Amino acid sequence: MTTHTTRMLIIGSGPAGLSAAIYGARAGLEPIVVQGLQPGGQLTITTDVENYPGFREVIQGPWLMQEMQAQAEHVGTRMLWDTITSVDLSGAGKQGMAFRAVGDGGDVYEGETLVIATGAQAKWLGVPGEEQLGGKGVSACATCDGFFYRGKKVVVIGGGNTAVEEALYLTNHSPDVTLIHRRDSLRSEKILQDRLFANPKISVVWNKKVDRFLGDPLAGGLTGVALTDTVTGAASEIETDGAFVAIGHAPATELFKGQLAMDDGGYLLVEPGTPKTAIPGVFACGDVMDHIYRQAVTAAGTGCMAALDAERFLAEREFAAAKEKVAG
Ligand code: NDP
């Protein structure tokens, strides 16, 4: 069991955490990144990335994350492979190592500031074929993967804002988008529903749940979805080239329950326009506090903001302490 101390403790190693690390390291804060269960975050389970600025050619998500990690380490970040199992923020306001986290092997991590970049996970249906055909026709992100279905037929599963927005977005690429919902009404905002119903490229299939994704991962990928009618129980199939599961995301905030404020969906609440939580010295960035944009580039942006604010927080605290010393 070891105790690791740092001026900036970062939990999470997706684009938000690693961008915070790059900025924190360059500011001399010698950050520690605790990588978590999925080092590199959600991008490590995507394949082609075409919308991260700076790359003309299609790049691979895992490669991008390796590069970000290498850059973070190159400028002085310590990357530690551990999963945090508990966090104690009760030292807020204390000088020195105010925030404490414990890893699953018992190692202790103490930080003068804490950057939470634990991300979110797309929820999946958990039906046969979904995992096997992931990246081979089944996706949970239209903005990431929609472009690969130019001119093809796609379906979107879900009835909330995400599903409707994804269906609308996909019409930029696909002439034939079907929204499949398990009930007979949508829960998304009315304005989005109006746009959806007015779009001639979109049709809605009501009262259907997806039982299975059809196709061979090794030969052509997804070919269709098998459905059951939730009212009559009748079985049917729809042929499709792409299926986008849009049934919500789950932010990884379990560790912070009772210590930091969250919205109804479990996302951490921050001061609007900043990554500041209600506890001075604790910052949240990336998908753990953003249920709207959820892009690698926006996560990287808020990670940068968190590091800049952490640096300012420490500088102001040091300035105040020095002033007190002089006055005393
Ligand atoms: P929601 O929880 O709002 O909607 C999830 C949808 O998926 C529901 O329609 C639900 O069906 C359906 N669903 C859930 N589980 C299953 C399942 N196992 N099988 C089939 N269908 C299922 O999630 P969203 O991601 O849409 O939105 C999350 C939050 O983010 C919301 O607060 C939303 O308003 C917000 N958001 C805001 C946006 C914006 O302002 N532009 C954009 C995107 C999201 P049912 O309706 O039957 O429960």
Side-chain angles (χ1 to χ4, degrees), residues 58-277:
V58 177
I59 55 169
Q60 299 298 303
W63 176 84
L64 179 62
M65 297 321 299
Q66 274 168 24
E67 290 298 305
M68 276 193 209
Q69 181 177 327
Q71 185 180 3
E73 286 178 312
H74 177 70
V75 291
T77 303
R78 273 182 288 165
M79 302 289 306
L80 298 176
W81 194 17
D82 200 351
T83 304
I84 299 299
T85 53
S86 69
V87 167
D88 179 1
L89 309 181
S90 62
K94 188 175 100 176
Q95 290 288 337
M97 299 296 156
F99 307 111
R100 194 168 188 273
V102 180
D104 68 357
D107 275 16
V108 173
Y109 302 87
E110 292 179 340
E112 288 186 53
T113 58
L114 175 66
V115 174
I116 301 168
T118 47
Q121 296 284 344
K123 290 184 191 161
W124 295 95
L125 292 166
V127 300
E130 185 177 49
E131 200 180 332
Q132 297 84 335
L133 290 158
K136 298 188 171 72
V138 177
S139 166
C141 179
T143 345
C144 321
D145 298 331
F147 191 64
F148 305 116
Y149 297 92
R150 270 162 303 183
K152 296 188 175 171
K153 187 170 157 52
V154 295
V155 301
V156 177
I157 300 136
N161 274 357
T162 304
V164 173
E165 283 198 341
E166 298 225 325
L168 289 165
Y169 174 82
L170 285 164
T171 60
N172 293 323
H173 305 297
S174 164
D176 186 348
V177 178
T178 304
L179 185 79
I180 301 171
H181 184 38
R182 64 182 176 183
R183 293 187 296 119
D184 63 358
S185 65
L186 301 172
R187 71 167 64 235
S188 74
E189 287 165 41
K190 180 157 186 318
I191 183 163
L192 287 172
Q193 295 194 31
D194 291 345
R195 275 187 222 144
L196 181 95
F197 297 136
N199 194 312
K201 293 181 184 169
I202 302 177
S203 52
V204 183
V205 170
W206 301 106
N207 297 324
K208 296 277 189 295
K209 71 180 181 64
V210 173
D211 289 330
R212 231 165 350 117
F213 291 91
L214 308 170
D216 182 346
L218 301 175
L222 183 77
T223 54
V225 287
L227 308 171
T228 297
D229 192 294
T230 53
V231 179
T232 65
S236 59
E237 286 184 9
I238 296 183
E239 278 183 20
T240 188
D241 302 301
F244 291 84
V245 178
I247 60 168
H249 283 75
T253 50
E254 194 61 36
L255 287 172
F256 310 102
K257 277 198 178 137
Q259 302 192 74
L260 287 172
M262 299 174 193
D263 70 9
D264 292 345
Y267 288 85
L268 293 181
L269 292 176
V270 290
E271 192 181 300
T274 80
K276 294 178 189 167
T277 70

